[in-house]
Amino acid sequence: MQTALFKDEVFRRFANELPIATAVQVVLRTLLEPMMVDEIFRENADKQYEPSLLFSALTQLMSSVVLGKHASVSAGYKKFANRLGVALNSVYEKPQRVEPETSRKLVRASYHQVVQARCDQGGVAQHEVPGYTTRILDG
C-alpha cells in the first residue's frame, strides 16, 4: 500500500520512532473518517441534528481525549475551537444526546472495516472460525 502518507519523511520518522502510536493513529483516522462518521449520524439520528457541530468533529475531539492526546475535553476544545465553531457548552451537551442507535451503527461500521482489512490481508472473516461467534463489545 503505497500512498503519499507513507512516502512523507515526517510520517516515516514518526513511524520509525513510535511505530505503535503511528499505527494507532492511521487506524483511527481510517475507522473514524469524517465523511463516514457524519453519514452514519445523518442516516441514524432520529431526534438529534447537527446545525453547526458535526458529529465527526465531536468524535475527533473525544477520541483525542480518550487516547490521552488532550488531558480533558476543555483542553481538547482549546486546540479544536476554531474547527468546531461552537461554544464549549455545546461540546459538553452533544455527547449526552447521542442516540444509542447512532453509536451502535458507528461501532458496527468500524468493525466491518476492520473485518474487510483483515480479509484483504489474508485473515479470516468474522464467521470463518468454527465454534466461535463474533461479538462486538462497546463500552
Side-chain angles (χ1 to χ4, degrees):
M1 173 188 238
Q2 289 294 321
T3 66
L5 176 65
F6 297 120
K7 294 177 184 176
D8 180 69
E9 182 58 36
V10 174
F11 174 82
R12 288 198 337 233
R13 187 177 46 190
F14 275 105
N16 288 334
E17 293 177 20
L18 301 164
I20 294 174
T22 305
V24 168
Q25 278 293 323
V26 169
V27 168
L28 284 176
R29 286 181 185 202
T30 302
L31 295 179
L32 299 176
E33 194 278 320
M35 286 177 39
M36 181 205 61
V37 170
D38 289 332
E39 182 180 332
I40 288 170
F41 180 85
R42 285 185 208 104
E43 289 175 357
N44 295 286
D46 185 36
K47 297 174 186 160
Q48 255 196 317
Y49 60 97
E50 51 182 17
S52 55
L53 178 57
L54 294 176
F55 190 53
S56 59
L58 180 66
T59 303
Q60 275 186 317
L61 171 61
M62 293 305 177
S63 66
S64 74
V65 174
V66 168
L67 295 172
K69 186 174 182 181
H70 297 103
S72 66
V73 173
S74 179
Y77 174 81
K78 290 175 185 172
K79 294 286 186 183
F80 286 109
N82 62 339
R83 287 187 268 166
L84 295 173
V86 297
L88 179 59
N89 189 41
S90 296
V91 171
Y92 279 114
E93 288 176 6
K94 186 132 183 160
Q96 296 173 22
R97 293 188 174 98
V98 173
E99 296 161 274
E101 187 61 24
T102 303
S103 296
R104 235 181 260 116
K105 294 290 184 165
L106 179 59
V107 170
R108 286 179 191 212
S110 298
Y111 171 76
H112 289 295
Q113 284 183 301
V114 170
V115 168
Q116 185 59 51
R118 186 174 55 206
C119 289
D120 292 347
Q121 297 298 317
V124 296
Q126 57 199 13
H127 301 295
E128 291 183 10
V129 181
Y132 290 91
T133 302
T134 303
R135 302 221 186 259
I136 297 173
L137 176 63
D138 177 22

Coordinates of all heavy atoms in Angstrom, one line a residue, residues 43-117:
E43 N -27.9 9.3 8.8 CA -28.8 8.1 8.5 C -29.4 7.6 9.7 O -30.5 7.0 9.6 CB -28.0 7.0 7.8 CG -27.5 7.4 6.4 CD -26.7 6.3 5.8 OE1 -26.3 5.3 6.5 OE2 -26.3 6.5 4.6
N44 N -28.9 7.8 10.9 CA -29.4 7.1 12.1 C -29.9 8.0 13.2 O -30.6 7.5 14.1 CB -28.3 6.2 12.7 CG -28.0 5.1 11.7 OD1 -28.7 4.1 11.5 ND2 -26.8 5.2 11.0
A45 N -29.5 9.2 13.2 CA -30.0 10.1 14.2 C -31.5 10.4 14.0 O -32.0 10.7 12.9 CB -29.3 11.4 14.2
D46 N -32.3 10.2 15.1 CA -33.7 10.3 15.0 C -34.1 11.7 15.5 O -34.8 12.5 14.8 CB -34.4 9.2 15.8 CG -35.9 9.3 15.7 OD1 -36.4 9.6 14.6 OD2 -36.6 9.0 16.7
K47 N -33.7 12.1 16.7 CA -34.0 13.3 17.3 C -32.9 14.4 17.3 O -33.2 15.5 17.4 CB -34.4 13.1 18.8 CG -35.6 12.2 19.0 CD -35.8 11.8 20.4 CE -37.0 10.8 20.5 NZ -37.0 10.1 21.8
Q48 N -31.7 13.9 17.1 CA -30.6 14.8 17.1 C -30.4 15.5 15.7 O -30.8 14.9 14.7 CB -29.3 14.1 17.4 CG -28.9 14.4 18.8 CD -27.4 14.0 19.0 OE1 -27.0 12.9 18.6 NE2 -26.7 14.8 19.7
Y49 N -29.8 16.6 15.7 CA -29.4 17.3 14.5 C -28.1 17.9 14.6 O -27.5 17.9 15.7 CB -30.5 18.4 14.1 CG -30.6 19.4 15.2 CD1 -29.9 20.6 15.1 CD2 -31.3 19.2 16.4 CE1 -29.9 21.6 16.1 CE2 -31.4 20.2 17.3 CZ -30.7 21.4 17.2 OH -30.7 22.3 18.2
E50 N -27.5 18.3 13.5 CA -26.1 18.9 13.6 C -26.1 20.2 12.9 O -25.5 20.3 11.8 CB -25.1 18.0 13.0 CG -25.4 17.4 11.7 CD -24.3 16.4 11.2 OE1 -23.5 15.9 12.0 OE2 -24.3 16.1 10.0
P51 N -26.7 21.3 13.5 CA -26.7 22.6 12.8 C -25.4 23.2 12.6 O -25.1 23.7 11.6 CB -27.6 23.4 13.7 CG -27.5 22.8 15.1 CD -27.3 21.3 14.8
S52 N -24.5 23.0 13.6 CA -23.2 23.6 13.5 C -22.0 22.7 14.0 O -20.9 22.8 13.5 CB -23.1 24.9 14.2 OG -23.5 24.8 15.5
L53 N -22.3 21.8 14.9 CA -21.3 20.9 15.4 C -21.5 19.5 14.7 O -22.4 18.8 15.0 CB -21.4 20.8 16.9 CG -20.4 19.8 17.6 CD1 -19.0 20.2 17.3 CD2 -20.7 19.8 19.1
L54 N -20.6 19.2 13.8 CA -20.6 18.0 13.1 C -20.3 16.8 14.1 O -19.4 17.0 14.9 CB -19.7 18.0 11.9 CG -20.0 18.9 10.8 CD1 -18.9 18.9 9.7 CD2 -21.4 18.6 10.2
F55 N -20.9 15.7 13.9 CA -20.6 14.5 14.7 C -19.2 14.1 14.5 O -18.5 13.6 15.5 CB -21.6 13.4 14.3 CG -21.6 12.2 15.2 CD1 -21.8 12.3 16.5 CD2 -21.4 10.9 14.7 CE1 -21.8 11.2 17.4 CE2 -21.4 9.8 15.5 CZ -21.6 10.0 16.9
S56 N -18.6 14.2 13.3 CA -17.2 13.8 13.1 C -16.3 14.7 13.9 O -15.3 14.2 14.4 CB -16.9 13.9 11.6 OG -17.1 15.2 11.1
A57 N -16.6 16.0 14.0 CA -15.7 16.9 14.8 C -15.8 16.5 16.3 O -14.7 16.5 17.0 CB -16.2 18.3 14.6
L58 N -16.9 16.2 16.8 CA -17.1 15.8 18.1 C -16.3 14.4 18.4 O -15.7 14.3 19.4 CB -18.6 15.6 18.5 CG -18.9 15.2 19.9 CD1 -18.4 16.3 20.9 CD2 -20.3 14.8 20.1
T59 N -16.5 13.5 17.4 CA -15.8 12.2 17.5 C -14.3 12.4 17.5 O -13.6 11.8 18.3 CB -16.2 11.3 16.3 OG1 -17.6 11.2 16.3 CG2 -15.5 10.0 16.4
Q60 N -13.7 13.3 16.7 CA -12.3 13.6 16.7 C -11.9 14.1 18.1 O -10.8 13.7 18.6 CB -11.9 14.6 15.6 CG -11.7 14.0 14.3 CD -11.2 15.0 13.3 OE1 -11.7 16.1 13.3 NE2 -10.2 14.6 12.5
L61 N -12.6 15.1 18.6 CA -12.3 15.7 19.9 C -12.3 14.7 21.0 O -11.3 14.5 21.8 CB -13.2 16.8 20.2 CG -13.1 17.4 21.6 CD1 -11.7 18.0 21.8 CD2 -14.2 18.5 21.8
M62 N -13.4 13.9 21.0 CA -13.5 12.9 22.1 C -12.4 11.8 22.0 O -11.9 11.3 23.0 CB -14.9 12.3 22.1 CG -16.0 13.3 22.5 SD -15.6 14.0 24.1 CE -17.0 15.2 24.2
S63 N -12.1 11.4 20.8 CA -11.1 10.3 20.7 C -9.7 10.9 21.1 O -8.9 10.1 21.7 CB -11.0 9.7 19.3 OG -10.6 10.7 18.3
S64 N -9.5 12.1 20.9 CA -8.2 12.7 21.3 C -8.1 12.8 22.8 O -7.0 12.6 23.4 CB -8.0 14.1 20.7 OG -8.8 15.1 21.3
V65 N -9.2 12.9 23.5 CA -9.2 12.9 25.0 C -9.1 11.5 25.5 O -8.3 11.2 26.4 CB -10.5 13.6 25.5 CG1 -10.6 13.5 27.0 CG2 -10.6 15.1 25.1
V66 N -9.9 10.6 24.9 CA -9.8 9.2 25.3 C -8.4 8.6 25.2 O -8.0 7.8 26.1 CB -10.9 8.4 24.6 CG1 -10.7 6.9 24.8 CG2 -12.3 8.8 25.0
L67 N -7.8 9.0 24.1 CA -6.4 8.4 23.9 C -5.3 9.2 24.6 O -4.1 8.9 24.4 CB -6.2 8.3 22.4 CG -7.1 7.3 21.6 CD1 -6.9 7.5 20.1 CD2 -6.8 5.9 22.1
G68 N -5.7 10.2 25.3 CA -4.7 10.9 26.1 C -3.9 12.0 25.4 O -3.0 12.5 25.9
K69 N -4.3 12.3 24.2 CA -3.7 13.4 23.4 C -4.0 14.7 24.1 O -3.1 15.6 24.2 CB -4.1 13.4 22.0 CG -3.4 14.4 21.1 CD -3.8 14.3 19.7 CE -3.1 15.2 18.8 NZ -3.5 15.1 17.4
H70 N -5.2 14.8 24.7 CA -5.6 16.0 25.5 C -6.0 15.5 26.8 O -6.7 14.5 26.9 CB -6.7 16.8 24.8 CG -6.2 17.3 23.5 ND1 -6.6 16.8 22.3 CD2 -5.4 18.4 23.2 CE1 -6.1 17.5 21.3 NE2 -5.4 18.4 21.8
A71 N -5.7 16.3 27.9 CA -6.0 15.9 29.2 C -7.5 15.9 29.6 O -7.9 15.2 30.4 CB -5.2 16.7 30.2
S72 N -8.2 16.7 28.9 CA -9.7 16.9 29.2 C -10.4 17.4 27.9 O -9.7 17.8 26.9 CB -9.9 17.9 30.3 OG -9.4 19.2 29.9
V73 N -11.7 17.4 28.0 CA -12.5 17.9 26.9 C -12.2 19.4 26.7 O -12.1 19.9 25.6 CB -14.0 17.7 27.1 CG1 -14.8 18.4 26.0 CG2 -14.3 16.2 27.1
S74 N -12.1 20.1 27.8 CA -11.8 21.5 27.8 C -10.4 21.8 27.1 O -10.3 22.7 26.3 CB -11.8 22.1 29.2 OG -11.5 23.4 29.2
A75 N -9.4 21.0 27.5 CA -8.1 21.2 26.8 C -8.2 20.9 25.3 O -7.6 21.6 24.5 CB -7.1 20.3 27.5
G76 N -8.9 19.8 25.0 CA -9.0 19.5 23.6 C -9.8 20.6 22.8 O -9.5 20.9 21.7
Y77 N -10.8 21.1 23.5 CA -11.6 22.2 22.9 C -10.8 23.4 22.5 O -10.9 24.0 21.4 CB -12.7 22.6 23.8 CG -13.5 23.8 23.3 CD1 -14.5 23.6 22.4 CD2 -13.2 25.1 23.8 CE1 -15.2 24.7 21.9 CE2 -13.9 26.2 23.3 CZ -14.9 26.0 22.4 OH -15.6 27.1 21.9
K78 N -9.8 23.7 23.4 CA -9.0 24.9 23.1 C -8.2 24.7 21.8 O -7.9 25.6 21.1 CB -8.0 25.1 24.3 CG -8.8 25.6 25.5 CD -7.9 25.8 26.7 CE -8.7 26.2 27.9 NZ -7.9 26.2 29.2
K79 N -7.8 23.4 21.6 CA -7.0 23.1 20.4 C -7.9 23.1 19.1 O -7.5 23.4 18.0 CB -6.3 21.8 20.5 CG -5.2 21.8 21.5 CD -4.0 22.6 21.0 CE -2.9 22.4 22.0 NZ -1.7 23.2 21.7
F80 N -9.1 22.6 19.3 CA -10.1 22.4 18.2 C -11.1 23.5 18.0 O -11.9 23.5 17.1 CB -10.9 21.1 18.4 CG -10.1 19.8 18.1 CD1 -9.8 19.0 19.2 CD2 -9.8 19.4 16.8 CE1 -9.1 17.8 19.0 CE2 -9.1 18.3 16.6 CZ -8.8 17.4 17.7
A81 N -11.1 24.5 18.9 CA -12.1 25.5 18.9 C -12.4 26.2 17.6 O -13.6 26.3 17.2 CB -11.8 26.6 19.9
N82 N -11.4 26.5 16.8 CA -11.6 27.2 15.5 C -12.3 26.3 14.5 O -13.0 26.7 13.6 CB -10.3 27.8 15.0 CG -9.3 26.7 14.7 OD1 -9.3 25.6 15.3 ND2 -8.3 27.0 13.9
R83 N -12.1 25.0 14.6 CA -12.7 24.0 13.7 C -14.1 23.6 14.2 O -14.9 23.2 13.4 CB -11.8 22.7 13.6 CG -10.6 22.9 12.8 CD -9.9 21.6 12.5 NE -8.9 21.5 13.6 CZ -8.3 20.3 13.8 NH1 -8.6 19.3 13.1 NH2 -7.4 20.3 14.8
L84 N -14.4 23.7 15.5 CA -15.7 23.3 16.0 C -16.7 24.4 15.7 O -17.9 24.0 15.4 CB -15.6 23.0 17.5 CG -14.7 21.8 17.8 CD1 -14.5 21.7 19.3 CD2 -15.3 20.5 17.3
G85 N -16.4 25.6 15.9 CA -17.3 26.7 15.6 C -18.5 26.8 16.6 O -19.5 27.4 16.2
V86 N -18.4 26.2 17.8 CA -19.4 26.3 18.8 C -18.8 26.6 20.1 O -17.6 26.4 20.3 CB -20.3 25.0 18.8 CG1 -21.0 24.7 17.5 CG2 -19.4 23.8 19.2
A87 N -19.7 26.9 21.1 CA -19.2 27.2 22.4 C -18.9 25.9 23.1 O -19.4 24.8 22.8 CB -20.3 27.9 23.2
L88 N -18.0 25.9 24.1 CA -17.6 24.7 24.9 C -18.9 24.1 25.5 O -18.9 22.8 25.5 CB -16.7 25.1 26.0 CG -16.2 24.0 26.9 CD1 -15.5 22.9 26.1 CD2 -15.2 24.6 28.0
N89 N -19.9 24.8 25.9 CA -21.1 24.3 26.5 C -21.8 23.3 25.5 O -22.3 22.2 25.8 CB -22.0 25.4 26.9 CG -23.2 24.9 27.7 OD1 -23.1 24.0 28.5 ND2 -24.4 25.4 27.4
S90 N -21.8 23.7 24.2 CA -22.4 22.8 23.2 C -21.6 21.5 23.0 O -22.2 20.5 22.8 CB -22.4 23.5 21.8 OG -23.2 24.7 21.9
V91 N -20.3 21.6 23.2 CA -19.5 20.4 23.1 C -19.8 19.4 24.2 O -19.9 18.2 24.0 CB -18.0 20.7 23.1 CG1 -17.1 19.5 23.2 CG2 -17.6 21.5 21.8
Y92 N -20.0 20.0 25.4 CA -20.4 19.1 26.6 C -21.8 18.5 26.4 O -22.1 17.4 26.9 CB -20.3 19.9 27.9 CG -18.9 20.0 28.4 CD1 -18.2 21.2 28.4 CD2 -18.2 18.9 28.8 CE1 -16.9 21.3 28.9 CE2 -16.9 18.9 29.3 CZ -16.3 20.2 29.3 OH -15.0 20.3 29.8
E93 N -22.7 19.3 25.8 CA -24.1 18.8 25.7 C -24.3 17.7 24.6 O -25.1 16.8 24.8 CB -25.0 20.0 25.4 CG -25.2 20.9 26.6 CD -26.0 22.2 26.3 OE1 -26.5 22.3 25.2 OE2 -26.1 23.0 27.2
K94 N -23.6 17.9 23.5 CA -23.9 17.0 22.4 C -23.7 15.5 22.7 O -24.5 14.7 22.4 CB -23.0 17.4 21.2 CG -23.4 16.5 19.9 CD -23.6 17.4 18.8 CE -24.0 16.5 17.6 NZ -24.6 17.3 16.6
P95 N -22.6 15.1 23.4 CA -22.4 13.6 23.7 C -23.5 13.1 24.5 O -23.8 11.9 24.4 CB -21.1 13.6 24.4 CG -20.4 14.8 24.1 CD -21.4 15.9 23.8
Q96 N -24.1 13.9 25.4 CA -25.2 13.4 26.3 C -26.4 13.1 25.5 O -27.3 12.4 25.9 CB -25.5 14.5 27.3 CG -24.3 14.8 28.2 CD -24.6 15.9 29.2 OE1 -25.7 16.3 29.4 NE2 -23.5 16.5 29.7
R97 N -26.5 13.7 24.3 CA -27.7 13.5 23.4 C -27.5 12.5 22.3 O -28.5 12.3 21.5 CB -28.2 14.8 22.9 CG -28.7 15.7 24.0 CD -29.3 17.0 23.5 NE -29.9 17.8 24.5 CZ -29.3 18.8 25.1 NH1 -28.1 19.2 24.7 NH2 -29.9 19.5 26.0
V98 N -26.3 11.9 22.1 CA -26.1 11.0 21.0 C -27.0 9.8 21.3 O -26.9 9.1 22.4 CB -24.6 10.6 20.9 CG1 -24.5 9.5 19.9 CG2 -23.8 11.8 20.5
E99 N -27.8 9.4 20.3 CA -28.7 8.3 20.5 C -28.0 7.0 20.4 O -27.0 6.8 19.6 CB -29.8 8.4 19.4 CG -30.6 9.7 19.6 CD -31.4 10.0 18.3 OE1 -30.8 10.7 17.4 OE2 -32.5 9.6 18.2
P100 N -28.4 6.0 21.2 CA -27.7 4.7 21.2 C -27.6 4.0 19.8 O -26.6 3.4 19.5 CB -28.6 3.8 22.1 CG -29.2 4.8 23.0 CD -29.5 6.0 22.2
E101 N -28.6 4.2 19.0 CA -28.6 3.6 17.6 C -27.4 4.2 16.8 O -26.8 3.5 16.0 CB -29.9 3.7 16.9 CG -30.0 3.0 15.6 CD -29.8 1.4 15.8 OE1 -30.0 0.9 16.8 OE2 -29.4 0.8 14.8
T102 N -27.2 5.5 16.9 CA -26.1 6.1 16.2 C -24.8 5.6 16.6 O -23.9 5.3 15.8 CB -26.2 7.7 16.4 OG1 -27.5 8.1 16.0 CG2 -25.1 8.4 15.6
S103 N -24.6 5.4 17.9 CA -23.3 4.9 18.4 C -23.2 3.4 18.0 O -22.1 3.0 17.6 CB -23.3 4.9 20.0 OG -23.3 6.2 20.4
R104 N -24.2 2.7 18.0 CA -24.2 1.3 17.6 C -23.8 1.2 16.1 O -22.9 0.3 15.8 CB -25.6 0.6 17.8 CG -25.6 -0.6 18.6 CD -27.0 -1.2 18.7 NE -27.5 -0.8 20.0 CZ -28.6 0.0 20.2 NH1 -29.3 0.4 19.2 NH2 -29.0 0.3 21.4
K105 N -24.3 2.0 15.3 CA -24.0 1.9 13.9 C -22.6 2.3 13.6 O -21.9 1.8 12.7 CB -25.0 2.8 13.1 CG -26.4 2.3 13.1 CD -26.6 1.1 12.3 CE -28.0 0.7 12.2 NZ -28.4 -0.3 11.2
L106 N -22.1 3.3 14.3 CA -20.7 3.7 14.2 C -19.7 2.6 14.6 O -18.8 2.3 13.8 CB -20.4 5.0 15.0 CG -19.0 5.5 15.0 CD1 -18.6 5.8 13.5 CD2 -18.8 6.7 15.9
V107 N -20.0 1.9 15.7 CA -19.2 0.8 16.1 C -19.3 -0.3 15.1 O -18.2 -0.9 14.7 CB -19.6 0.3 17.5 CG1 -19.0 -1.0 17.9 CG2 -19.3 1.3 18.6
R108 N -20.4 -0.6 14.6 CA -20.6 -1.7 13.6 C -19.9 -1.4 12.3 O -19.2 -2.2 11.7 CB -22.0 -2.0 13.3 CG -22.7 -2.8 14.5 CD -24.1 -3.1 14.2 NE -24.6 -3.5 15.5 CZ -25.6 -4.4 15.6 NH1 -26.1 -4.9 14.6 NH2 -26.0 -4.8 16.8
A109 N -20.0 -0.1 11.8 CA -19.3 0.3 10.6 C -17.8 0.1 10.7 O -17.1 -0.4 9.8 CB -19.7 1.7 10.2
S110 N -17.3 0.5 11.9 CA -15.9 0.4 12.2 C -15.4 -1.0 12.2 O -14.4 -1.4 11.6 CB -15.5 1.1 13.5 OG -15.8 2.5 13.4
Y111 N -16.3 -1.9 12.8 CA -16.0 -3.3 12.9 C -15.9 -3.9 11.5 O -15.0 -4.7 11.2 CB -17.0 -4.0 13.8 CG -17.0 -5.5 13.7 CD1 -16.0 -6.2 14.4 CD2 -17.9 -6.2 12.9 CE1 -15.9 -7.5 14.3 CE2 -17.8 -7.6 12.9 CZ -16.8 -8.3 13.6 OH -16.7 -9.6 13.5
H112 N -16.9 -3.6 10.7 CA -16.9 -4.1 9.3 C -15.7 -3.7 8.5 O -15.1 -4.4 7.7 CB -18.2 -3.8 8.6 CG -19.3 -4.6 9.2 ND1 -19.4 -5.9 9.1 CD2 -20.4 -4.2 9.8 CE1 -20.6 -6.3 9.7 NE2 -21.2 -5.3 10.2
Q113 N -15.2 -2.5 8.8 CA -14.0 -2.0 8.1 C -12.8 -2.8 8.5 O -11.9 -3.2 7.7 CB -13.7 -0.5 8.4 CG -14.5 0.4 7.7 CD -14.1 1.9 8.0 OE1 -14.2 2.2 9.2 NE2 -13.8 2.6 7.0
V114 N -12.7 -3.2 9.8 CA -11.6 -4.0 10.3 C -11.7 -5.4 9.8 O -10.6 -6.0 9.4 CB -11.6 -4.0 11.9 CG1 -10.6 -5.0 12.4 CG2 -11.3 -2.6 12.4
V115 N -12.9 -5.9 9.7 CA -13.0 -7.3 9.1 C -12.6 -7.3 7.7 O -11.8 -8.2 7.2 CB -14.5 -7.8 9.2 CG1 -14.7 -9.0 8.4 CG2 -14.8 -8.1 10.7
Q116 N -12.9 -6.3 6.9 CA -12.6 -6.2 5.5 C -11.0 -6.0 5.4 O -10.4 -6.7 4.5 CB -13.2 -5.0 4.8 CG -13.0 -4.9 3.3 CD -13.4 -6.2 2.6 OE1 -14.5 -6.6 2.7 NE2 -12.5 -6.8 1.8
A117 N -10.4 -5.2 6.2 CA -9.0 -5.1 6.2 C -8.3 -6.4 6.5 O -7.3 -6.8 5.9 CB -8.5 -4.0 7.1

